């Protein structure tokens, strides 16, 4: 089999399908809340039901299994892990990425692909809005807030990806002077502290975030009214936990790795250099 | 716990965590949690078994720690922050297109007979690239690949060549749009547009200092910049000026025609009708502006047909057209911000689109180009944004603990002369800049420094001119940006040196590179002191 190159059709389509399905699930969040985490308080139930009816994209479909979720909602929810599975299998390691990822890391790489699709979608939505607003003078209510919403996911997920890629900004002045044993201690301290932070963050806000913002499906309070607080705040906690987990995975994967000298030449990678050289016609 | 102790513990642990190589953003986040614990439940540190009894831990799922999530959430919903990935995206596309090479060829044609011409071309090109996006790194690499071999081949002084490339290449963060100023504006809640406007004159001042230095150095010692052998088909002095005049007229005339079309469009849509509420006249978009535009068109036509001649103009256009794409991108980005068309975020998106369209036009665009640029954007976004996330959490926690007020009191209580306080800050910034990335500095140090500066007696800031109180944050932002210019070049970790090293011929060592920087660091410090002595230079355009 010929060596596959990153950026093939599958790597565009599957993350896009994943993002689309996740988008459907997130947009129809109230339906899932009503079915899976019903409120005990009837007035809250009424409020969420009203929300659901206002935001439903497929209003004429009846719910399945005596619930609110219609067949599309079920399909989207069940497809999500399936697409995720195929997505993880479809990841092709790109040359500029951190070499030799263990199998677990493929998840982070796939999430990175999804974030890349989100970046291009967000840019296109924003340009569409610019076109409508300044050329046709018919601005939409939704485009700016949708961009903001997607950007929130991009910002959070990019940190998870950057963790897997080990490209978070670090200072290596003293670290590089240490023997292997010392480096292991340093890395372990970092990972333990990061896990502690994730624990305290979740411990200190899970009720506010999941119990209130998510469960009551708090909206942004604007005309388009996207559920930004209801979705981004849980995402913050989830991604911080994922980053901490990834840090543990990195620690295990790098445990026996030979020390490499970090100079800031790492700022620029070989592939990048080749591309730029090609663009200026240098040999 | 007392805020003084909290501050000391914070500084010591930050230094410790950075020393053991913990990622900056995550270290700040950890310290944010630590500050919260010290503030609300210090017994947890001495007696971990008491978990679950204090203010912080007795109430699982809510309480003061939620503030950290809230701070991160606030940052995630900042609309301007979206411009960061978009500018990175644009720079990634730009690096991979041949726009830069063509721009160099055009500039080189006009200045090839000038002493030190290639060095001057390098600086001008750096300024143009700086005005397109706001990312350094790629810029130094591009200049290093294009201009360094030329200068070395012509026998330029190696130090002059190296210093020119890196000092000019760093201008990306000084001349608007600048990603440093965007993050600074977000953190300090300063108008980013005002920061951009304020940075214009200082940015161009620094650029012209660099060019003046190059001219002076090569005039005093012509052996440092030998002239190339004249090519047989190279037009002679006066001839070239006429060609240049022809080229400029074509560009000016064509832009005016586009602007006239815009006026027509605006009029047709009724959008330059002053009768509407909150009417802001679009720049050069009113019917009253038409005489100016038609005047420019007439003057250009006169120059082309009477003065330069059509043939010379045609040659001039052939030689100069490489400058058109960069100028168009600059026009779109800065025009969007200042023409009252869109915000900074949209301008960044438009810039990315413009660069992509140019690449498409030049036949360089491909799905692969998009994919690689997206991946690069994702990586850079992750590193920059997560430092911002950590620092936002830390700044929130530290402010809650009363930190900034405490430090401001401390400095003001010391009764140092105002300028001495500012000079001390400059020294700290320069020192930190030599070891740390600018993102870290803007996020960790500026939230502490700025409140202090704002409390200093304003009439004692600077020697010439008077700064008005609501411009202090802008002035300090530009000052900070200028500091960061020095930090890109300062040993031992000046990033510009490492970027250049990756493309320089092997016989040029890092030491050689840093040696070449020295006079240019002097030029930057000169520009910095102008800003210190004459603060209101920042407000000239505001």
């Amino acid at each position: 089999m010929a060596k596959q190159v990153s950026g093939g059709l599958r790597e565009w389509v599957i993350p896009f399908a994943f993002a689309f399905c996740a988008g459907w699930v997130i947009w129809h969040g109230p339906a899932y809340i009503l079915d899976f985490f019903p409120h005990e308080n009837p007035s809250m139930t009424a409020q969420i039901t009203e929300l659901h009816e206002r935001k439903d994209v497929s209003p004429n479909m009846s719910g399945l299994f005596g619930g609110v979720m219609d067949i599309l909602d079920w399909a989207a929810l069940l497809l999500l892990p399936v697409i995720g599975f195929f997505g993880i299998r479809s990841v092709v390691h790109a040359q500029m990425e951190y070499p030799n990822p263990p199998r677990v890391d493929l998840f982070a790489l796939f999430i990175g692909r999804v974030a890349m699709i989100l970046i291009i979608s967000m840019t296109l939505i924003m340009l569409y809005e610019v076109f409508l607003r300044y050329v046709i003078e018919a601005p939409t209510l939704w485009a700016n807030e949708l961009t903001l919403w997607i950007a929130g996911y991009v910002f959070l997920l990019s940190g998870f990806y950057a963790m897997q890629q080990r490209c978070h900004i670090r200072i290596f002045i003293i670290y590089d002077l240490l023997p292997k044993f010392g480096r292991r201690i340093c890395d372990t301290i970092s990972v333990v502290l990061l896990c502690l932070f994730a624990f305290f963050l979740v411990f200190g806000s899970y009720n506010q975030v999941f119990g209130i913002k998510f469960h009551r499906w708090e909206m942004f309070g604007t005309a388009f009214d996207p559920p930004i607080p209801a979705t981004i705040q849980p995402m913050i906690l989830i991604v911080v936990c994922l980053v901490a987990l990834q840090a543990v995975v990195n620690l295990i994967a790098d445990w026996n790795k030979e020390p490499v000298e970090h100079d800031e030449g790492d700022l620029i990678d070989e592939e990048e250099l080749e591309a730029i050289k090609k663009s200026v016609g240098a040999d | 716990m007392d805020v003084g102790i909290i501050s000391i513990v914070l500084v010591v642990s930050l230094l410790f965590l950075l020393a053991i190589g913990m990622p900056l953003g995550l270290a700040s986040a950890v310290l944010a949690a630590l500050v919260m614990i010290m503030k609300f439940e210090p017994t947890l540190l001495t007696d971990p078994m008491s978990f679950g009894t204090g203010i912080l831990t007795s109430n699982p799922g809510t309480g003061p720690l939620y503030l950290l999530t809230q701070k991160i959430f606030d940052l995630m919903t900042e609309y301007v922050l979206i411009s960061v990935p978009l500018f990175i995206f644009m720079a990634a596309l730009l690096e991979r297109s041949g726009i830069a090479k063509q721009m160099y060829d055009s500039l080189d044609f006009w200045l090839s007979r000038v002493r030190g011409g290639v060095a001057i071309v390098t600086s001008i090109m750096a300024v143009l690239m700086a005005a397109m996006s706001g990312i350094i790194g790629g810029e130094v690499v591009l200049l290093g690949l294009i201009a360094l071999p030329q200068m070395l081949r012509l026998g330029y002084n190696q130090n002059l060549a190296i210093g020119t490339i890196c000092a000019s290449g760093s201008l990306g963060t000084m001349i608007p749009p600048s990603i440093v100023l965007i993050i600074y504006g977000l953190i300090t809640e300063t108008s980013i547009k005002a920061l951009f406007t304020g940075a214009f004159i200082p940015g161009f001042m620094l650029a012209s200092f660099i060019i003046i230095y190059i001219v002076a150095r090569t005039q005093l010692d012509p052996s440092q910049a030998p002239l190339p052998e004249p090519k047989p088909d190279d037009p002679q002095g006066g001839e070239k000026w006429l060609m240049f005049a022809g080229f400029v007229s074509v560009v000016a005339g064509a832009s005016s025609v586009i602007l006239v079309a815009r006026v027509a469009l605006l009029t047709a849509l009724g959008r330059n009708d002053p009768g509407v509420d909150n009417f802001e006249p679009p720049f050069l978009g009113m019917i009253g502006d038409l005489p100016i535009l038609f005047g420019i068109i007439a003057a250009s036509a006169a120059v082309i047909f009477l003065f330069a001649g059509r043939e010379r103009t045609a040659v001039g256009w052939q030689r100069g057209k490489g400058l058109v794409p960069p100028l168009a991108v600059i026009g779109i980005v800065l025009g969007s911000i200042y023409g009252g068309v869109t915000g900074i975020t949209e301008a960044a998106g438009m810039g990315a689109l413009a660069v992509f369209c140019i690449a498409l036009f030049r036949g360089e665009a491909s799905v692969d180009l998009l994919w690689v640029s997206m991946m690069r954007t994702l990586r850079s976004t992750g590193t920059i944004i997560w430092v911002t996330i950590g620092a936002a959490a830390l700044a929130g926690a530290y402010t809650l603990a009363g930190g900034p007020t405490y430090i401001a009191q401390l400095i003001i209580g010391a009764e140092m002369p105002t300028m001495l306080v500012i000079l001390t800050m400059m020294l700290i910034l320069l020192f930190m800049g030599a070891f740390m990335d600018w993102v870290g500095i803007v996020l960790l140090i500026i939230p502490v420094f700025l409140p202090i500066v704002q409390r200093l007696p304003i009439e004692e800031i600077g020697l010439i001119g008077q700064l008005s109180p609501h411009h202090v944050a802008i002035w300090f932002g530009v000052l900070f940006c200028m500091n960061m210019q020095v930090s890109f070049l300062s040993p031992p970790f000046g990033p510009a040196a490492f970027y250049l090293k990756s493309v320089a011929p092997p016989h040029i060592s890092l030491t050689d590179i840093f040696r070449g920087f020295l006079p240019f660091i002097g030029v930057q410090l000169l520009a910095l002191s102008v800003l210190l002595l004459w603060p209101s230079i920042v407000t000239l355009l505001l």
Side-chain angles (χ1 to χ4, degrees), chain B residues 409-424:
Chain B
Q409 292 297 342
L410 210 65
I411 302 248
I412 290 171
E415 305 220 333
M416 287 208 288
T418 305
M419 285 315 273
L420 194 61
V421 175
I422 294 184
L423 279 179
T424 319

Side-chain angles (χ1 to χ4, degrees), chain A residues 5-7 11-12 94 96-98 112-113 115-117 119-120 122-123 126-127 130 133-135 137 144 147-148 151-152 154-163 165 167-171 173-175 186-187 189-190 193-194 197 199-209 213 220 228-229 232-233 236-237 239-240 243 263-265 267-269 271-273 275-277 279-280 282, chain B residues 16-26 29-30 33 37 44 51 56-57 59-63 65-66 68-70 72-73 75-79 81-82 85-86 89 95-98 101 138 141-142 145-146 269 271 340-343 345-346 349-350 352-353 364 367-368 370-372 374-379 381-387 389 435-437 439 493 495 498-499 502-503:
Chain A
V5 183
S6 174
E11 275 190 287
W12 283 86
M96 71 165 87
E97 288 178 318
Y98 194 80
R113 304 290 186 271
M116 280 159 66
I117 296 292
I119 290 177
I120 192 94
M122 152 184 118
T123 314
M126 203 184 71
L127 292 172
V130 170
R133 174 166 303 190
Y134 299 102
V135 181
E137 269 208 310
N144 270 342
T147 314
L148 188 69
V154 171
F155 293 151
L156 289 170
L157 297 177
S158 67
F160 177 45
Y161 179 76
M163 192 74 206
Q165 294 291 312
C167 61
H168 280 302
I169 297 171
R170 301 169 66 179
I171 295 173
I173 311 173
I174 296 176
Y175 185 85
C186 288
D187 289 341
I189 297 177
S190 304
L193 286 176
L194 180 58
F197 167 71
F199 168 76
F200 272 105
L201 192 71
V202 174
F203 179 84
S205 36
Y206 71 88
N207 197 18
Q208 290 278 347
V209 168
K213 303 277 181 209
F220 208 46
I228 293 183
I232 297 286
Q233 290 207 4
I236 294 173
L237 299 191
V239 171
V240 166
V243 168
D263 61 56
E264 301 214 359
L267 285 171
I268 188 145
D269 54 78
E271 197 228 22
E272 164 93 356
L273 216 58
I276 298 179
K277 276 185 187 162
S279 80
V280 300
Chain B
F16 171 72
L17 290 182
L18 291 182
I20 66 167
M22 188 163 184
L24 182 57
L26 305 173
V30 167
I37 293 174
L44 199 60
F51 188 89
L56 219 54
T57 50
N59 209 349
T62 180
L65 277 173
Y66 177 56
L68 300 183
T69 312
Q70 194 73 48
I72 298 175
F73 174 72
L75 188 71
M76 297 292 90
T77 46
E78 280 286 356
Y79 193 67
L81 199 59
I82 306 175
L86 292 176
F89 191 37
E95 279 168 15
R96 284 173 174 70
S97 68
K101 173 69 178 153
V141 170
L142 271 176
L145 278 171
I146 298 174
L269 296 171
R271 277 210 275 157
V341 185
T342 58
T345 311
E346 285 89 351
M350 302 268 283
L353 179 72
E364 292 158 342
V367 176
D368 199 48
L370 260 187
W371 181 258
V372 173
M374 274 152 59
M375 192 174 272
R376 182 142 302 280
T377 309
L378 182 66
R379 294 166 73 90
T381 309
T383 48
I384 293 183
I385 299 289
W386 273 62
V387 178
I389 287 181
F435 294 96
M436 216 163 143
D437 203 72
V439 202
F493 291 106
F498 292 90
Y499 281 120
S502 63
V503 291

Side-chain angles (χ1 to χ4, degrees), chain B residues 139-198:
Chain B
E139 213 168 300
V140 173
V141 170
L142 271 176
L143 293 173
L145 278 171
I146 298 174
L148 188 60
Q150 293 283 347
M151 287 198 258
L152 296 180
R153 198 170 47 80
L154 288 176
Y156 272 50
N157 178 296
Q158 185 179 301
N159 289 341
L160 174 70
I162 290 169
T164 307
I165 289 175
C166 291
S168 321
S170 306
L171 284 169
T173 55
M174 189 71 216
I175 291 174
S178 143
I179 208 161
V180 176
L181 288 175
I182 293 175
I183 302 270
Y184 175 92
L186 268 176
I187 288 294
T188 60
E189 290 173 6
T190 313
S191 152
I192 293 168
K193 197 169 159 184
L195 280 169
F196 281 3
T197 319

Side-chain angles (χ1 to χ4, degrees), chain A residues 27-106:
Chain A
W27 185 249
H28 279 189
Y32 300 92
I33 290 177
L34 287 171
D35 275 11
F36 292 128
F37 317 102
H39 279 272
E40 285 166 13
N41 177 344
S43 80
M44 268 319 289
T45 312
Q47 232 177 67
I48 302 278
T49 313
E50 188 273 325
L51 254 181
H52 168 63
E53 277 158 11
R54 188 148 51 90
K55 298 287 180 188
D56 201 350
V57 187
S58 51
N60 298 321
M61 301 180 85
S62 58
L64 294 184
F65 313 119
V68 187
M69 292 161 62
D70 57 37
I71 185 155
L72 289 174
D73 295 339
W74 278 105
L77 187 65
L78 295 175
L79 267 177
L80 209 49
V82 176
I83 299 177
F85 174 75
F86 284 107
I88 289 170
R89 294 193 40 162
S90 77
V91 168
V92 180
H93 182 263
Q95 212 186 341
M96 71 165 87
E97 288 178 318
Y98 194 80
N100 306 323
R103 289 182 69 85
V104 210
D105 282 13
L106 290 178

